[in-house]
């Protein structure tokens, strides 16, 4: 099964970076075995899928704000 979360809370305008919401980060912190698949969506016509990873591969932090930034950064890497 799959569970989809948009860490920014909603769509963003290109060039304007929003502060990521903490829901996806909180979920990742409570489920360390969860595999995260970053996906970047530009409009409806352009979708980039990144490499799956587990949160512990990226950080040992338990700070929800820091984890939210990490998740958002993984998605933004796909935008270029």
């Amino acid at each position: 099964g799959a569970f989809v979360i948009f860490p920014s809370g909603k769509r963003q305008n290109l060039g304007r970076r929003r502060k990521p919401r903490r829901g996806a980060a909180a979920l990742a912190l409570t489920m360390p075995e969860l595999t995260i698949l970053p996906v970047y969506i530009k409009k409806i016509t352009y979708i980039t899928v990144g490499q799956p990873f587990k949160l512990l591969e990226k950080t040992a932090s338990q700070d929800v704000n820091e984890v939210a930034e990490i998740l958002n950064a993984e998605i933004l890497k796909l935008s270029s």
Side-chain angles (χ1 to χ4, degrees):
F3 185 70
V4 178
I5 294 181
F6 293 89
S8 61
K10 60 183 175 177
R11 293 176 49 198
Q12 345 184 63
N13 292 330
L14 292 177
R16 293 181 58 192
R17 187 170 184 260
R18 301 177 69 96
K19 182 176 178 182
R21 301 286 195 141
R22 299 181 308 202
L27 181 62
L29 284 170
T30 60
M31 300 176 67
E33 72 283 354
L34 184 72
T35 299
I36 299 167
L37 180 65
V39 177
Y40 176 80
I41 303 170
K42 180 179 177 182
K43 301 201 179 189
I44 299 246
T45 59
Y46 181 79
I47 298 172
T48 305
V49 179
Q51 293 296 314
F53 67 92
K54 296 198 184 298
L55 184 61
L56 291 175
E57 297 170 359
K58 301 291 180 183
T59 184
S61 176
Q62 293 294 306
D63 180 85
V64 71
N65 292 314
E66 184 177 332
V67 171
E69 288 292 340
I70 290 168
L71 296 177
N72 200 47
E74 288 296 315
I75 293 169
L76 291 177
K77 282 183 194 177
L78 304 172
S79 68
S80 54

